[in-house]
Amino acid sequence: MSSSSSSSSSSSGSSSSRHRYIAARAAGGDDDDVPSTSYQNSLEVTIKRKSKQVEATLQELGMEALEERLSSATQNPASPAYRLSRLVAETTQMQGRAVIVVEVMRPTPATTPQQLAKIAQTAIQCGADALCVRLDTEDTPQGLQDLFAVVQAAKRVPVLARDWIIHPLQLVEAKEAGAAGVLGVIGQVNGRGTAVMSSFGSAIGLDAPVEVVNAREVEGLSRVGVTFFGINLSVGLSVAVPGFASDMAHGLLGELPFGAISIVGVKDLEQARKARMSGADALLVKKEMIEAAAAEGKDLRTLLDQVLYVTCGDD
């Protein structure tokens, strides 16, 4: 799966288009594409905040240095490349189950990157196939340091960086920190630049699933070569989303083209069960699910055992 997608995507991320990448608009798509007015407003506020942060970084870096960073990343892609895609292929084919991606997070703002690394190691010992680290300043004051520390602790386990991705420099920074991929390329946010952002991710060897919220986005992105899709990662399905049925078994997963790869964020066991029944290749066990389990007295190993049980059953 990853070989064909990387081939088509890499051509799109060629040198001629590399320097035309621009920061995403605060809100993208048509009016009927947004989940709800309140959620759209919240998303706009978040993306405007992120845009200011990225713009400040770009100004400090300068155009010449930016072009050098982008060029260097494409000339020296991550090796091995597409680690999550390859893991999905191996796990679904050899074990017949979904890849379990666990979100690791700081218990408190005072948690250090080294302490977060120990949490990541515990998650792997409890059965996580891959990990996800939040980089946004709303979640951590040391995003890239957190990512680097977790990557070093995880060793051969793929680590994904989760952020609001609006500029290719963020992809480069994630790659340089050792990430296997990124979560946060969102059709609603990146608008017409979504496919290009995804292509750049592939060009530097990262898995960069595009988060979609309706069938129209799936169809349009499929036409331009996107093969890895995310659902319910940052743009939640708890709101009324046009084009997505209340039952995931009859929703977006059924709209994905043949051969596409999918990762679905889940907040409880029922969501995990339905997502896998509908064909999800990977499940992101979100922090809300982990926190809810902890409130019930369940440790992470028990939770992940339950996830495997409900998603590997015959029913």
Side-chain angles (χ1 to χ4, degrees):
M1 283 183 291
S2 58
S3 297
S4 60
S5 65
S6 62
S7 175
S8 60
S9 296
S10 295
S11 62
S12 299
S14 63
S15 176
S16 62
S17 63
R18 182 169 60 243
H19 304 314
R20 292 200 295 267
Y21 300 143
I22 59 174
R25 297 171 298 172
D30 300 328
D31 291 341
D32 59 351
D33 286 335
V34 295
S36 69
T37 301
S38 60
Y39 195 90
Q40 180 188 13
N41 292 341
S42 175
L43 185 61
E44 284 191 12
V45 170
T46 298
I47 298 305
K48 285 179 180 178
R49 171 180 59 79
K50 177 59 65 174
S51 296
K52 290 181 180 179
Q53 294 172 356
V54 172
E55 182 62 29
T57 301
L58 293 175
Q59 289 182 356
E60 181 179 353
L61 184 62
M63 184 58 68
E64 183 176 347
L66 171 63
E67 292 186 354
E68 289 179 359
R69 291 278 292 277
L70 298 179
S71 178
S72 176
T74 54
Q75 293 173 15
N76 301 283
S79 181
Y82 320 116
R83 294 176 62 195
L84 182 61
S85 295
R86 296 180 188 278
L87 179 62
V88 164
E90 294 171 1
T91 305
T92 55
Q93 293 174 13
M94 302 296 293
Q95 301 181 40
R97 65 173 180 86
V99 166
I100 306 300
V101 183
V102 174
E103 193 166 54
V104 294
M105 64 236 139
R106 290 177 172 228
T108 70
T111 300
T112 66
Q114 292 70 31
Q115 291 170 328
L116 186 64
K118 292 182 179 180
I119 294 173
Q121 290 175 329
T122 298
I124 295 170
Q125 293 168 1
C126 290
D129 298 311
L131 302 175
C132 176
V133 180
R134 294 192 179 201
L135 304 189
D136 187 50
T137 54
E138 291 288 294
D139 302 302
T140 171
Q142 298 174 287
L144 288 173
Q145 292 181 45
D146 285 355
L147 176 61
F148 181 78
V150 170
V151 167
Q152 295 301 305
K155 301 186 184 301
R156 298 181 180 180
V157 172
V159 178
L160 307 177
R162 177 179 169 181
D163 204 348
W164 303 95
I165 305 298
I166 61 173
H167 195 282
L169 177 61
Q170 295 169 276
L171 301 179
V172 173
E173 290 177 331
K175 170 192 170 292
E176 291 174 347
V182 297
L183 303 181
V185 178
I186 305 171
Q188 292 295 314
V189 171
N190 297 91
R192 294 181 179 179
T194 303
V196 180
M197 194 76 75
S198 176
S199 295
F200 183 76
S202 290
I204 63 176
L206 300 187
D207 286 303
V210 175
E211 186 168 2
V212 292
V213 298
N214 58 44
R216 181 191 303 178
E217 288 184 348
V218 172
E219 181 181 2
L221 290 167
S222 297
R223 286 200 301 265
V224 294
V226 173
T227 59
F228 201 158
F229 295 89
I231 300 170
N232 196 27
L233 303 176
S234 299
V235 182
L237 299 176
S238 57
V239 294
V241 180
F244 201 104
S246 58
D247 187 343
M248 290 183 64
H250 303 288
L252 269 183
L253 286 167
E255 300 290 340
L256 300 185
F258 178 78
I261 311 171
S262 59
I263 177 170
V264 178
V266 294
K267 294 183 179 180
D268 55 50
L269 292 173
E270 182 62 10
Q271 284 189 4
R273 186 186 69 83
K274 285 186 175 181
R276 181 55 184 160
M277 284 181 61
S278 301
D281 297 304
L283 301 173
L284 172 65
V285 178
K286 303 175 81 168
K287 74 169 187 176
E288 294 88 347
M289 187 174 184
I290 298 172
E291 291 171 344
E296 296 175 359
K298 299 178 185 176
D299 60 20
L300 185 58
R301 183 180 296 278
T302 299
L303 174 62
L304 297 187
D305 284 346
Q306 290 179 329
V307 172
L308 283 175
Y309 179 78
V310 300
T311 57
C312 293
D314 297 326
D315 57 340

